[in-house]
């Protein structure tokens, strides 16, 4: 573990006109750390995620990222080309709906290989071998490599999306309800897989979820959001076992059965 | 002798916002220290706050007042005010915890559940598994269960997996929350052996034991939690 | 008399009005300045349907002058409907000289082929383009493809080639094969067979591309690098043919299959009709002899039987392309 964070977020706010998307969010994220952002729909957690991943520009505040060369860069001052490059190399984004993150009409192998080709790999055999390796790491049989994700189940699609994101060895992955819309048994398998990958690869991740069980299993730290503001944050098990903010107590008492 | 854990004037209460903000005092003025190689036991009736104290020491419960000073990484850390990142580091390297219940993870074998804390500390995975095997054997967990996820195990079997997981590391401080609750006599004795070995290795232990035989076998002294009763203040 | 007065008096030279031609010339100039970049232009309605070469015709109309000599080919042939009609159109509206001979033409408008006869400096090749965007079938959003061009994000193009190899064991794309122009823009060379891709590389002729329906013009200036995309372990290759042209005996040319009867009879002949006719008429085939190894001075029939030259592959890296003998 290094003594420097990977991401520094300071007083980040996003307003939609007079409506608050998220307001005054401040935190640091360290390498290898998984942060869960929980709250109900409309609490601003997805707005926050989109701002952090630069899919959305905030109204005010800053976010700095420590690049692979150790240089700190302010995300919202980078050019679009730099941000997009970051997005497909050092970052990943796992969408709730795999169709948003996959190319549904190209094969699983090409879905995994696209990022490699985007960063200049021009050796088919090597790209394919890497794709095979990653499919096995997300528990997709090698003989499905030339099938399109259209022919995959929801859980497989989600696992493929994860492989597609991780193939370039990103250091930071954003996840938006990664287990949303999946059967409970499929969810458990995916969570377990994610947990293993995050640990093995030392990934930092920001996981948006409304499911406290997901937060407990995946994250070390969590932030609880309500009406665009962070109402409580801390160690995940501390927040869940000893919730202090009224809203967190409500959330824990009404949802948590783990 | 070294004193790796010092607790001074710690207070804890719960504010129940869902019940009109009523405040439930738990403990106040909690002060004690644990020396290396010593096993102290928290004593007192149910509801006196023994578990809450243990959880505060592990960073699982927030602390309202006071300090929890831990020797960590060559320095001193106040757990009561430490950042989540520091608490995680303390848990990884300094304070171990054996709870009553195993929080199982789907699809991870019992062996790997036990080996995980060592692997997390950077130990070679196979070496960690080897130690895990030895511990599970010592705790008489049938070998045919080792490769299975513990979710379907009986209470006693899960408890033994949990104990093995807690004892496998060489944390200088170990917290024990009724580790023998659902064990038979034979395995209780094994736990006593394990605790004795930890003491000999200079580990500072703090536990809750309802089983008087075990308690008498391991305890160097009893810390009476009723002395920290917050009820008198709140009343 | 009557015919004279009703003929063409109502049309401006080369059909388009001068303002339109200026607008199109500006787009062409911009295209030449940024090789491979698709320049939007205000495509006009032409007296022919989309898909029949409205883009190419507008480009030709904007650059043609009274002294030009125009050749029009459709899939290599001078005598198919599309070629004949467009040639007749310009004969009528611009009164320019027309030819079928590649070497004599100053402007060659083409649909889906590049002539076998090497082009020279001063010649202009005008391509008719149906879909100018090489990324279109992979990324349907125009906003996104423009951004990808702007930021030089071309990984997706290789995804398509990857899919080819995964499905067919090789890059099976045989026409509209994507190229990178001057190391910057990825460009669709229009649906020419990839056989013709090496001819675009450092060609002495100016190559202009017009897409009428899609309202885009792009260009490859003379002596510009045009490199076909590929993988290190699956390098770009052109099509090869097992036998030479059944009529003129030419090897190393692009052949069309011609069905002869209802009993499976067929033969392969030059797709470039002018090239084929010239070789058959002129037994010495002067400037081209070096490349066409099968040219043995005999007529087509005898060369077919006497020297069935094995087909040879063009250099995959596009080197050695040109007039030198291989």
């Amino acid at each position: 573990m290094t003594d420097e964070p990977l991401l520094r977020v300071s007083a980040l706010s996003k307003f939609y006109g007079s409506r608050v998307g998220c307001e005054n969010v401040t935190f640091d994220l360290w390498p290898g750390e998984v942060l869960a952002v929980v709250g109900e729909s409309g609490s601003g957690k997805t707005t926050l995620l989109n701002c952090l991943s630069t899919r959305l520009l905030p109204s005010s505040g800053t976010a700095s990222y420590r690049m692979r060369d150790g240089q700190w860069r302010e995300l919202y001052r980078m050019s679009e080309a730099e941000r997009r490059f970051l997005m497909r190399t050092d970052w990943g984004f796992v969408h709730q709906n795999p169709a948003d993150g996959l190319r549904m009409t190209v094969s699983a192998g090409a879905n995994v290989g696209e990022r490699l080709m985007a960063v200049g790999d021009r050796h088919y055999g090597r790209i394919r071998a890497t794709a095979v390796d990653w499919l096995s790491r997300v528990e997709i049989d090698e003989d499905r490599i030339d099938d399109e994700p259209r022919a995959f189940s929801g859980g497989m699609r989600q696992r493929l999306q994860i492989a597609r994101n991780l193939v370039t060895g990103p250091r930071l992955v954003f996840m938006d309800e990664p287990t949303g819309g999946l059967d409970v048994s499929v969810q458990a398998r995916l969570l377990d897989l994610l947990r293993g990958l995050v640990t093995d690869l030392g990934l930092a991740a920001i996981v948006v979820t409304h499911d406290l069980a997901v937060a407990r299993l995946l994250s070390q730290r969590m932030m609880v959001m309500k009406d665009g503001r962070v109402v409580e944050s801390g160690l995940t098990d501390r927040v869940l076992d000893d919730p202090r903010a009224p809203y967190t107590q409500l959330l824990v008492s009404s949802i948590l059965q783990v | 002798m070294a004193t790796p854990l010092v607790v001074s004037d710690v207070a804890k209460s719960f504010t129940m916002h869902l019940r009109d903000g009523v405040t439930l005092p738990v403990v106040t003025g909690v002060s004690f220290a644990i020396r290396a190689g010593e096993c102290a036991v928290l004593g007192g009736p149910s509801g006196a706050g023994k578990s809450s104290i243990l959880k505060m020491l592990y960073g699982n419960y927030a602390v309202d007042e006071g300090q929890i000073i831990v020797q960590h990484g060559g320095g001193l850390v106040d757990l009561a005010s430490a950042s989540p990142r520091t608490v995680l580091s303390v848990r990884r390297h300094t304070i171990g915890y054996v709870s009553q219940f195993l929080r199982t993870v789907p699809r991870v074998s019992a062996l790997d559940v036990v080996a995980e804390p060592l692997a997390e500390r950077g130990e070679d995975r196979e070496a960690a598994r080897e130690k895990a095997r030895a511990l599970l054997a010592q705790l008489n967990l049938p070998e045919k269960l080792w490769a299975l996820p513990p979710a379907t195990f009986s209470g006693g079997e899960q408890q033994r997996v949990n104990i093995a997981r807690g004892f496998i590391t060489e944390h200088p401080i170990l917290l024990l929350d009724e580790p023998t609750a659902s064990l038979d006599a034979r395995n209780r004795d094994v736990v006593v052996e394990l605790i004795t070995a930890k003491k000999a290795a200079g580990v500072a232990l703090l536990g809750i034991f309802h089983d008087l035989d075990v308690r008498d076998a391991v305890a160097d002294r009893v810390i009476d939690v009723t002395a920290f009763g917050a009820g008198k203040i709140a009343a | 008399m009557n015919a004279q007065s009703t003929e063409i008096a109502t049309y401006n030279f080369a059909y388009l009005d001068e303002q339109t031609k200026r607008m199109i010339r500006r787009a062409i100039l911009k295209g030449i300045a940024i090789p491979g970049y698709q320049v939007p232009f205000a495509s006009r309605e032409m007296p022919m349907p989309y898909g029949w070469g409205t883009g190419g015709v507008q480009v030709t109309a904007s650059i043609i002058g009274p002294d030009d000599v125009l050749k029009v080919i459709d899939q290599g042939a001078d005598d198919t409907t599309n070629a004949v009609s467009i040639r007749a159109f310009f004969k009528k509206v611009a009164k320019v000289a027309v030819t079928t001979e590649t070497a004599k033409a100053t402007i060659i408008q083409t649909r889906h082929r590049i002539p076998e006869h090497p082009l020279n400096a001063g010649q202009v090749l005008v391509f008719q383009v149906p879909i100018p965007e090489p990324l279109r079938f992979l990324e349907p959003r125009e906003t996104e493809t423009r951004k990808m061009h702007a930021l030089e994000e071309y990984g997706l193009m290789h995804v398509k080639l990857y899919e080819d190899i995964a499905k067919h064991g090789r890059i099976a794309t045989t026409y509209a094969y994507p190229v990178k122009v001057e190391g910057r823009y990825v460009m669709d060379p229009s649906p020419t067979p990839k056989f013709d891709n090496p001819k675009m590389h450092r060609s002495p002729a100016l190559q202009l591309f017009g897409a009428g329906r899609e309202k885009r013009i792009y260009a490859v200036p003379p002596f510009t690098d045009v490199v076909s995309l590929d993988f290190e372990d699956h390098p770009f290759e052109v099509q090869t043919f097992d036998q030479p042209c059944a009529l003129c005996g030419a090897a190393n040319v692009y052949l069309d299959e011609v069905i002869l009867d209802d009993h499976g009879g067929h033969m392969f002949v030059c797709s470039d009709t002018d090239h084929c006719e010239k070789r058959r008429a002129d037994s010495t085939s002067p400037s081209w002899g070096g490349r066409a190894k099968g040219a043995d001075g005999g007529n087509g029939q005898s060369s077919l039987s006497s020297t069935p030259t094995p087909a040879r592959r063009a250099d995959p890296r596009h080197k050695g392309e040109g007039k030198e003998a291989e």
Side-chain angles (χ1 to χ4, degrees):
Chain A
M1 254 203 198
T2 60
D3 282 338
E4 263 196 305
L6 192 61
L7 180 70
R8 283 195 164 126
V9 181
S10 174
L12 203 67
S13 298
K14 173 73 186 174
F15 299 100
Y16 301 101
S18 59
R19 211 155 48 78
V20 176
C22 62
E23 192 171 9
N24 203 21
V25 178
T26 299
F27 69 93
D28 288 348
L29 186 75
W30 270 268
E33 191 175 48
V34 179
L35 172 72
V37 182
V38 304
E40 56 201 25
S41 321
S43 62
K45 55 192 197 304
T46 296
T47 295
L48 175 63
L49 192 74
N50 286 336
C51 283
L52 295 174
S53 59
T54 72
R55 297 154 61 83
L56 205 60
L57 284 181
S59 310
S60 63
T62 60
S64 312
Y65 182 72
R66 185 161 53 81
M67 308 293 280
R68 289 195 198 211
D69 62 5
Q71 295 295 309
W72 282 95
R73 296 292 307 275
E74 254 194 65
L75 293 180
Y76 310 119
R77 291 180 188 273
M78 289 167 82
S79 70
E80 186 174 16
E82 289 175 300
R83 287 203 302 263
R84 284 172 69 115
F85 184 75
L86 197 61
M87 202 67 198
R88 60 174 191 263
T89 53
D90 212 20
W91 287 5
F93 197 108
V94 176
H95 297 261
Q96 172 172 9
N97 179 0
D100 293 340
L102 291 172
R103 291 192 192 280
M104 298 303 278
T105 55
V106 307
S107 69
N111 262 292
V112 176
E114 181 177 344
R115 274 176 162 235
L116 296 174
M117 294 182 248
V119 296
D121 199 329
R122 294 287 177 267
H123 192 282
Y124 174 83
R126 207 161 51 218
I127 292 165
R128 195 168 171 86
T130 310
V132 167
D133 177 46
W134 268 100
L135 289 179
S136 77
R137 289 172 83 161
V138 297
E139 302 171 17
I140 295 175
D141 282 342
E142 186 180 337
D143 63 9
R144 303 299 302 269
I145 189 171
D146 293 329
D147 293 348
E148 292 176 6
R150 282 192 291 202
F152 286 6
S153 67
M156 270 175 87
R157 288 179 186 183
Q158 197 57 294
R159 281 180 275 134
L160 179 63
Q161 192 191 181
I162 289 163
R164 174 180 160 88
N165 271 285
L166 298 187
V167 68
T168 48
R171 294 185 302 157
L172 174 58
V173 179
F174 301 96
M175 301 188 206
D176 189 6
E177 304 277 7
T179 59
L182 297 177
D183 292 343
V184 179
S185 61
V186 178
Q187 263 193 36
R189 181 179 184 186
L190 187 75
L191 281 173
D192 179 38
L193 181 83
L194 271 177
R195 199 172 163 275
L197 286 172
V198 163
T199 315
D200 291 349
L201 303 172
L203 287 178
I206 298 177
V207 184
V208 158
T209 179
H210 66 273
D211 186 338
L212 297 182
V214 169
R216 177 167 320 248
L217 206 57
L218 282 183
S219 72
Q220 293 104 37
R221 260 174 67 202
M222 65 189 271
M223 296 197 309
V224 182
M225 291 189 72
K226 180 174 169 32
D227 301 333
R229 291 172 192 85
V230 176
V231 295
E232 184 163 4
S233 66
L235 221 52
T236 298
D237 61 84
R238 205 282 295 153
V239 173
L240 292 177
D241 293 343
D242 183 16
R244 320 209 90 197
Y247 177 70
T248 316
Q249 290 187 356
L250 177 69
L251 210 58
V252 169
S253 66
S254 49
I255 305 175
L256 188 63
Q257 276 299 330
V258 286
Chain B
M1 214 171 204
T3 310
L5 177 66
V6 178
V7 181
S8 60
D9 264 331
V10 163
K12 169 76 186 164
S13 63
F14 290 115
T15 304
M16 315 296 275
H17 292 284
L18 301 182
R19 284 196 271 151
D20 303 325
V22 62
T23 298
L24 301 180
V26 182
V27 288
T28 186
V30 180
S31 300
F32 59 84
I34 314 286
R35 287 184 298 276
E38 168 188 55
C39 180
V41 171
L42 294 173
S46 293
K50 302 189 295 291
S51 248
S52 294
I53 292 174
L54 225 48
K55 283 177 174 166
M56 283 190 281
L57 297 187
Y58 197 58
N60 182 226
Y61 276 6
V63 176
D64 293 349
E65 288 170 28
Q67 290 183 315
I68 298 170
I69 306 294
V70 178
Q71 267 184 21
H72 171 66
L76 296 179
V77 168
D78 178 12
L79 268 186
S81 60
S83 70
R85 197 170 125 77
T86 306
V87 174
L88 286 174
S89 172
V90 166
R91 286 180 185 181
R92 192 171 298 120
H93 298 288
T94 304
I95 301 186
Y97 186 80
V98 183
S99 66
Q100 293 178 56
F101 305 106
L102 179 65
R103 200 177 281 285
T104 58
V105 177
R107 296 203 306 163
V108 179
S109 73
L111 193 68
D112 282 340
V113 168
V114 174
E116 194 187 15
L118 274 188
E120 260 178 23
R121 302 175 90 193
E123 200 147 325
D124 173 69
R125 196 166 281 274
E126 210 26 64
R129 284 201 180 118
E130 202 44 56
K131 279 189 191 163
R133 283 188 197 99
L135 267 171
L136 287 175
Q138 196 180 350
L139 284 157
N140 303 303
L141 190 78
E143 194 170 340
K144 61 177 192 290
L145 296 181
W146 295 1
L148 302 177
T152 54
F153 291 7
S154 73
E157 286 160 352
Q158 288 197 5
Q159 176 93 47
R160 278 177 276 160
V161 170
N162 207 19
I163 290 166
R165 181 181 159 89
F167 278 88
I168 194 167
T169 54
E170 282 157 13
H171 286 111
I173 301 170
L174 197 53
L175 308 176
L176 308 166
D177 190 355
E178 299 201 42
T180 56
S182 42
L183 295 187
D184 58 23
R186 183 167 67 132
N187 286 312
R188 272 202 301 271
D189 293 344
V190 176
V191 174
V192 171
E193 284 169 30
L194 288 172
I195 292 172
T196 311
K198 285 283 180 200
K199 279 161 71 173
V203 175
L205 296 107
L206 178 66
I208 302 171
F209 297 94
H210 283 156
D211 186 321
L212 290 179
D213 293 342
V214 176
R215 180 166 129 177
D216 292 344
V218 300
D220 294 309
R221 68 192 165 100
V222 175
I223 299 166
D224 184 8
V225 174
T226 51
F228 312 132
K232 358 173 207 187
I233 295 172
Chain C
M1 260 316 259
N2 236 352
Q4 283 287 328
S5 59
T6 54
E7 203 180 7
I8 186 157
T10 47
Y11 289 112
N12 189 31
F13 177 77
Y15 186 76
L16 292 175
D17 63 274
E18 293 305 314
Q19 286 297 331
T20 297
K21 286 195 248 177
R22 271 172 81 177
M23 174 272 293
I24 293 173
R25 285 176 201 141
R26 279 195 202 107
I28 292 170
L29 285 173
K30 182 169 178 183
I32 292 170
I34 315 171
Y37 172 71
Q38 299 166 46
V39 185
F41 80 109
S43 179
R44 296 293 194 251
E45 287 296 324
M46 297 303 284
M48 59 177 72
Y50 286 135
W52 287 70
T54 55
V57 164
Q58 288 179 77
V59 170
T60 300
S62 304
I63 62 170
I64 202 164
D67 301 331
D68 273 311
V69 181
L70 179 70
K71 170 183 163 84
V72 182
I73 51 174
D74 174 7
Q75 306 268 23
D78 294 274
D79 55 2
T80 55
T81 314
N82 197 221
V84 170
S85 305
I86 293 173
R87 209 158 54 223
F89 174 75
F90 280 110
K91 229 159 108 180
K92 200 168 193 178
V93 299
K95 295 203 181 76
V96 293
V98 294
T99 182
T100 58
E101 284 183 55
T102 301
K104 286 188 180 159
T106 56
I107 297 173
I108 303 167
Q109 181 171 333
T110 176
R111 174 171 174 266
H112 310 354
R113 270 314 306 279
I114 296 176
E116 304 291 359
H117 192 287
L119 300 176
N120 294 314
Q123 287 184 301
V124 182
L125 190 58
V126 178
F127 293 79
Q128 302 171 198
V129 180
I131 295 166
E133 178 50 73
L135 301 161
R136 173 64 69 244
F137 293 105
L138 300 153
E139 175 52 68
R141 291 167 294 180
E142 175 79 14
T143 49
E144 187 64 17
T145 55
R146 282 204 214 184
K147 203 167 268 183
M148 290 160 83
H149 282 295
L151 302 177
E152 222 180 326
E153 290 181 7
Y154 290 130
L156 199 52
M157 214 62 250
H158 273 86
V159 168
K160 179 173 164 17
L161 302 180
Y162 171 97
E163 288 288 83
D164 264 8
I165 303 172
K167 288 202 177 88
H168 308 289
R170 64 196 161 78
I171 298 177
T173 302
T174 52
Y175 63 95
Y177 191 105
V179 293
K180 196 164 210 183
V181 181
E182 203 64 7
R184 177 58 179 85
Y185 284 96
V186 165
M187 183 187 95
D188 184 340
S190 86
T192 50
K194 66 178 175 181
F195 181 88
D196 287 338
N197 275 18
K199 294 178 189 164
M200 307 180 80
H201 180 60
R202 304 202 66 78
S203 168
L206 170 64
Q207 301 173 80
L208 302 176
F209 299 78
R213 175 172 31 209
E214 300 279 329
K215 302 172 177 53
R216 294 289 184 276
I217 284 171
Y218 50 103
V220 175
F223 303 107
T224 299
D225 285 344
V226 178
V227 179
S228 303
L229 302 183
D230 61 4
F231 286 103
E232 290 160 22
D233 48 345
H234 286 267
F236 173 77
E237 288 178 348
V238 298
Q239 296 99 325
T240 58
F241 298 91
D242 296 337
Q243 57 204 38
C245 170
L247 294 179
C248 75
N252 296 319
V253 295
Y254 193 73
L255 302 180
D256 283 340
E257 183 181 14
V258 178
I259 305 295
L260 297 175
D261 52 40
D262 289 341
H263 311 292
H266 64 109
M267 65 176 184
F268 286 93
V269 299
C270 287
S271 129
D272 185 337
T273 53
D274 171 60
H275 181 68
C276 197
E277 278 161 20
K278 260 220 132 63
R279 280 175 51 82
R280 279 182 286 158
D282 178 7
S283 54
T284 52
S285 187
S287 70
W288 193 233
R291 185 173 166 87
K293 270 207 135 180
D296 60 354
N299 65 31
Q301 292 304 322
S302 71
S303 88
L304 176 66
S305 51
S306 60
T307 55
T309 315
R312 300 170 72 241
R313 290 182 168 183
D315 184 308
R317 315 285 350 170
H318 312 177
K319 284 172 199 139
E321 191 60 33
K323 284 187 212 166
E324 311 85 42
E326 289 182 15

